[in-house]
Amino acid sequence: MAEVLILFAHPKFESSRVNKALVEKIKKRPGVTFHDLYEHYPDFNIDIIKEKKLLLEHDVIVWHHPLYWYSCPPILKQWIDLVLEYKWAYGPDGNALKGKQVLSVITAGGSRAVYCAEGNNNYSVNEFMRPFEQTARLCGMTYLPPFTVMGTHLLAEEELQNYSEQYDKAISLLQQGITAQKLGRCDYLNDLKQLHNSIIK
Amino acid sequence: MSGSILFEAIIFLAGAIIFVPIAKRFGLSSVLGYLIAGMFIGPYVFGFVGEEGEDILHFAEFGVVIMLFLIGLEIEPKSFWHMRKSIVGMGGSQLVFTLALSHIAFLFLGFDWKVSLVVSMAVVLSSTAIVLQTIKEKGLMNTSYGTASFSILLFQDIIVIPMLAVIPLLSNSNPAASTDTHEGEVQTYLLEGLPIGVQTLAVILSVAIVILAGRYLIVPMLKLVATTKLRELLSASALLIILGLSFAMELVGLSPALGAFLGGVVLATSEFKHELESNLEPFKGLLLGLFFMAVGASINFIVIRENPIMIGGLVAGVILLKALVIYLIALLFKLKMDQRLLLSIGLAQIGEFAFVLLSFAFQLNILTREYLDMMLVVTALSMTLAPILGIINERVILPKVGTKESEKRPIDHIAKSHKIILVGFGHFGSTIGRFLRSHGVEATILDHDSNRVDLLRKMGFEVYYGDATRIDLLESAGINEADLLISAVDNPDTTMNLVEIVKEKYPHVKLMVRAKSRYDAYELLNSGIEHVYRESLDTSVKLAADVLTQMGFRKYSVYRQAQNFIKYDEDSLKRLADKPKDSREYIFQAKEEIAEQEKLLEEDLKRGFIEADHHWDSEQMRLQKNNSEKKA
């Protein structure tokens, strides 16, 4: 079974209704390591050795964060800058992470309708996530279609529960070793048939 | 006019309040202030306190008694064992050489051998009261000079026991039969008239009784008192213990100070050690002051006038002899040059035990009235001169020694002129120095502990030894070329002193200053220092932040708030410091402190709670969205 590492970055987790719901369920899943970056490094002084060791112990890396100004909160950027070292994660002999899978789990206030060519934000979340995608690629990792929870401001309690179950299910699929190829083509992991089967509504 | 106790009390207290601050203002130790006050109020200048001077000396000796009790408390058998080498080694050799040389000298002057021996015994002893008080005031207890002084003094305090036991053996007549008794001073003690052998035995027995009483009488009594939970009762029992010990010792004709010391040692391992210490500390300070004043008052200027050359010669000779012996011993024990000088001049006076020894010998008819008066004057004068010599040593001799030592270092080191000077390398300064060094920044360090200086030099630091408020030292450390001076000094007064000197003489040097408390920070800010670092701020905020995270608050939120709190507290410090203060001396500090806390809490309320932090909080957006959705 594939080991999953969730790198969670939310500067004010205690006030995030949506993320609390998402995390609550996924945290309990066996084989999942939930790693809360802001709680571990409130001073942004990231322990690089420890982070590298964690990465090596897992097969699926999840970047779970809200979308702020079309990007991640600063600590995740700090993490990427510091941990993905030259000659370790990329560059000559930088093969440490080769073959691992990366999944972005994104929460965003705006709905899907806002994040598209016709919407106010002009681009889709996939397009905004290009730097992350390329980062994963440069390290020889497979970047999966992101799992997104959109329009969080308007989510009803029931919808939120659905999302947490979807998240849980998606992770379980990855644990079972489902690779990007087998998933088939989709813009968002949410759109997978396998996930929709499990949705109550 | 000296009949009323109230009047005398007023004279003594007023004398202290007038002269001690004056002495302090001139940078002298408080001991000298008390001594001068005593001389002025004594019978030979203003005559406020007349013939009672001697009685007061007797009463004031109680200060010394309390001090010895407290010293005894400090000496746990364990630390005693730890210091055994320096106590026995330095103390023992000091005793042997001083006693021998002094005995020879007095014999040479034509003294009877018994007189000479007793006087030499008195000469051996230095003043624990003066030396320890001075060392504590200067905060030098942890230097090698401090510990060496303590060792020698301790040995002397102990050696008084056998001395007092031996003196009766020198007596050739029964004291009771003597016609030359002096009213009030001869106590009728239990052992009077007994054979000398029995007396000596009794002395040893009484010491044993003190030790047993401490263990099986005093500790149970304190336990009983402690159950009442009344603080003043503990003070009362502390005083009762000391008075009891003193009384018992006087009864058998021993020094009360000795009994108190023994009592202290016995109680050092009991759980009441700290309780007793804090209860007796104020009594000790006041009574020691009284003691020094009494010494000052007892200087018999008539004896001096009658025999100025003899007295002057004796004082000079005694000081020279004592200083020389201690200097050589310090050399033997490999103390640094400056520490040797401090030690030998520091301990060159004759101590308060001399009063006890000499009076005792007088009672036993070994000394005549003339010898007693003369030696008392010599003792008092040496006690007065010692602090003055100490000052001369520190201001005139040590600076030369200090610079010499720094010249000895390799030339390439001197040539390297650093841009940062770090003053003080204790707990606070060493962290600064280490961190700077980890960045390849080598600060020039000034420190007043020569042993630490040695260690730092071995580690390759550029270190100058001495008092950083000395301009010549600052100059040789290269202050003229320095850009920055860091003050990591512990003592707020020294900090203020240093800062003022640097600001006035070297305005080009940027100052970054450690402050002990809010009040020191105010003072520094008000004197125009921009970069003030309170040692109590960051750490306590960090602790509070950890408490909050332990309770379940998110670390990052608390971290941000902690940073904000520090910033806000620093701002409020600057704001409050701008307001002029009524009194800069903080006489009513306790009252002011409460007012200050009140002000701080009010400011905190105005600032509000951390709920005000709305960053990354989508709640408001959500509400607005929901509202507009509903409208739509």
Side-chain angles (χ1 to χ4, degrees), chain B residues 110-370:
Chain B
F111 282 48
D112 175 70
W113 75 270
K114 281 179 184 167
V115 175
S116 163
L117 194 62
V118 169
V119 168
S120 298
M121 281 181 193
V123 166
V124 166
L125 307 169
S126 304
S127 171
T128 310
I130 289 183
V131 179
L132 284 192
Q133 185 82 359
T134 318
I135 290 176
K136 270 199 181 141
E137 259 175 50
K138 290 185 182 152
L140 295 175
M141 205 61 206
N142 291 322
T143 62
S144 45
Y145 149 62
T147 47
S149 301
F150 187 74
S151 305
I152 294 177
L153 290 168
L154 189 61
F155 187 82
Q156 293 176 351
D157 291 344
I158 295 167
I159 213 70
V160 173
I161 312 173
M163 281 184 178
L164 286 168
V166 162
I167 287 176
L169 303 176
L170 296 173
S171 160
N172 34 17
S173 68
N174 191 328
S178 156
T179 46
D180 188 28
T181 50
H182 22 287
E183 342 63 82
E185 222 176 288
V186 159
Q187 310 95 332
T188 44
Y189 54 90
L190 279 179
L191 308 174
E192 223 174 349
L194 289 174
I196 279 155
V198 178
Q199 282 192 25
T200 315
L201 197 72
V203 166
I204 296 165
L205 201 67
S206 53
V207 168
I209 288 171
V210 167
I211 293 171
L212 286 176
R215 197 127 301 162
Y216 300 107
L217 192 71
I218 296 176
V219 172
M221 177 189 86
L222 285 173
K223 276 193 182 133
L224 194 73
V225 167
T227 55
T228 64
K229 294 200 162 63
L230 290 171
R231 208 185 146 74
E232 68 272 15
L233 263 193
L234 256 170
S235 304
S237 22
L239 287 174
L240 179 67
I241 291 166
I242 295 178
L243 283 171
L245 286 169
S246 307
F247 180 72
M249 284 290 143
E250 281 200 339
L251 214 58
V252 294
L254 269 185
S255 135
L258 185 68
F261 176 76
L262 279 174
V265 175
V266 172
L267 291 172
T269 46
S270 82
E271 63 267 46
F272 297 100
K273 177 184 170 183
H274 299 291
E275 216 72 61
L276 291 169
E277 268 174 356
S278 60
N279 275 310
L280 289 171
E281 201 57 49
F283 291 105
K284 182 200 87 173
L286 206 56
L287 285 170
L288 267 187
L290 190 60
F291 171 75
F292 293 132
M293 281 197 279
V295 170
S298 73
I299 293 179
N300 190 334
F301 289 93
I302 295 165
V303 174
I304 299 173
R305 201 175 54 214
E306 280 169 359
N307 242 332
I309 298 164
M310 177 78 169
I311 299 274
L314 274 178
V315 172
V318 163
I319 289 178
L320 203 67
L321 182 121
K322 291 195 70 165
L324 197 70
V325 168
I326 295 167
Y327 185 88
L328 291 174
I329 289 168
L331 191 70
L332 203 72
F333 278 80
K334 298 196 177 82
L335 262 72
K336 292 269 147 310
M337 178 66 181
D338 51 285
Q339 306 276 310
R340 286 205 294 272
L341 282 172
L342 277 171
L343 186 69
S344 49
I345 291 170
L347 294 175
Q349 76 293 101
I350 306 180
E352 54 277 349
F353 276 121
F355 293 113
V356 180
L357 277 184
L358 295 168
S359 318
F360 189 50
F362 172 56
Q363 285 161 33
L364 294 170
N365 268 349
I366 301 168
L367 289 185
T368 62
R369 179 99 230 175
E370 290 72 47

Side-chain angles (χ1 to χ4, degrees), chain B residues 102-113 115-116 310 371:
Chain B
S102 157
H103 188 49
I104 293 166
F106 279 107
L107 283 178
F108 187 73
L109 286 175
F111 282 48
D112 175 70
W113 75 270
V115 175
S116 163
M310 177 78 169
Y371 278 128

Side-chain angles (χ1 to χ4, degrees), chain A residues 40-134:
Chain A
H40 269 88
Y41 307 114
D43 52 2
F44 277 51
N45 187 19
I46 286 169
D47 183 343
I48 297 167
I49 294 165
K50 186 181 154 191
E51 293 300 314
K52 279 159 94 172
K53 187 166 169 278
L54 267 177
L55 284 176
L56 293 177
E57 287 165 1
H58 295 83
D59 312 299
V60 179
I61 315 299
V62 177
W63 288 329
H64 178 165
H65 59 87
L67 198 62
Y68 288 152
W69 289 107
Y70 316 113
S71 187
C72 63
I75 201 164
L76 184 57
K77 182 63 166 61
Q78 178 92 339
W79 182 93
I80 289 170
D81 291 355
L82 293 174
V83 181
L84 303 181
E85 278 181 347
Y86 181 62
K87 286 188 180 172
W88 184 78
Y90 71 102
D93 300 325
N95 304 320
L97 304 175
K98 208 167 193 169
K100 294 186 192 297
Q101 304 198 78
V102 179
L103 171 71
S104 283
V105 173
I106 309 292
T107 59
S111 63
R112 273 200 202 188
V114 181
Y115 281 95
C116 66
E118 296 77 31
N120 281 341
N121 285 332
N122 286 312
Y123 304 98
S124 69
V125 170
N126 298 56
E127 285 169 296
F128 283 123
M129 296 317 286
R130 290 287 183 246
F132 297 89
E133 185 182 340
Q134 180 53 31

Side-chain angles (χ1 to χ4, degrees), chain B residues 407-474:
Chain B
E407 275 164 11
K408 271 189 216 149
R409 291 170 311 99
I411 293 157
D412 59 330
H413 265 252
I414 304 173
K416 237 201 273 174
S417 179
H418 292 286
K419 302 218 161 144
I420 294 173
I421 295 175
L422 170 58
V423 182
F425 209 76
H427 301 298
F428 197 90
S430 63
T431 311
I432 299 171
R434 280 168 47 211
F435 190 60
L436 292 180
R437 186 176 231 206
S438 74
H439 287 70
V441 177
E442 296 280 349
T444 303
I445 298 163
L446 300 186
D447 200 281
H448 70 59
D449 182 341
S450 62
N451 283 342
R452 196 151 58 206
V453 167
D454 272 2
L455 177 78
L456 289 173
R457 282 191 186 151
K458 267 187 213 140
M459 307 283 288
F461 282 101
E462 185 180 358
V463 191
Y464 288 81
Y465 162 67
D467 177 4
T469 54
R470 263 168 39 205
I471 287 161
D472 59 324
L473 189 74
L474 285 170

